[in-house]
Amino acid sequence: MNCSVQLEFYNPSKYFGVHVIPVEALFTLSELEVSRGEISKYFQAKGTRKVIEVVAQSRKIPLYGAGNMIANSDGSTKQGVPLNMVATLHSQYYVVGKMIKPKYQNQVVCNIELDSHSMALLVPLKKACTYST
């Protein structure tokens, strides 16, 4: 598996920049971890938008017990393979120097169906994702 996900961050604060602690994206098939990607921490200035790309790669991951999710009962391959992506976002503001440091954690959960016919196309995930704080 070799994929990338673009996430857009927006810092609406008029006064403070935000420190984004490493973002991790985890791809799973049912409960089996298929791939994982991570970006390093960075600083985002006040009132700015930034698009980051999380790259997830894996090779030769055994999918024991996942055969019924990938193949039909007659042995033919299904049209799409259902994957879940969970991205956990941690951010921290330094309000008065480093004396006051509020921390926030958000989670993005996306249900994706990989189709072999549209693998090279960009797939928008806005409707397939739910966001929680």
Side-chain angles (χ1 to χ4, degrees):
M1 180 174 171
N2 181 12
C3 69
S4 61
V5 178
Q6 291 181 342
L7 300 172
E8 181 180 10
F9 288 95
Y10 173 59
N11 180 9
S13 176
K14 295 179 183 180
Y15 306 107
F16 306 107
V18 64
H19 295 268
V20 179
I21 300 167
V23 176
E24 182 177 79
L26 175 67
F27 292 85
T28 58
L29 176 67
S30 183
E31 295 180 18
L32 300 170
E33 181 180 324
V34 177
S35 184
R36 180 185 298 255
E38 187 175 298
I39 64 159
S40 59
K41 64 181 180 177
Y42 71 93
F43 176 79
Q44 185 162 348
K46 58 186 176 181
T48 59
R49 291 183 185 271
K50 184 173 184 175
V51 176
I52 60 165
E53 188 172 274
V54 180
V55 178
Q57 296 178 338
S58 64
R59 289 182 161 217
K60 297 181 182 180
I61 303 292
L63 298 176
Y64 302 119
N68 63 344
M69 298 184 77
I70 298 172
N72 290 322
S73 58
D74 63 357
S76 63
T77 305
K78 287 186 177 180
Q79 286 290 354
V81 176
L83 281 180
N84 293 328
M85 183 201 72
V86 178
T88 306
L89 318 168
H90 301 276
S91 59
Q92 180 174 3
Y93 288 87
Y94 293 148
V95 179
V96 180
K98 290 191 177 184
M99 290 176 57
I100 302 174
K101 300 184 284 190
K103 295 180 182 180
Y104 300 95
Q105 178 178 334
N106 296 345
Q107 196 171 48
V108 180
V109 178
C110 301
N111 296 318
I112 308 164
E113 186 155 321
L114 293 181
D115 187 5
S116 62
H117 300 293
S118 63
M119 290 296 274
L121 302 175
L122 291 175
V123 179
L125 298 177
K126 285 186 179 181
K127 294 181 181 177
C129 297
T130 57
Y131 308 92
S132 63
T133 56

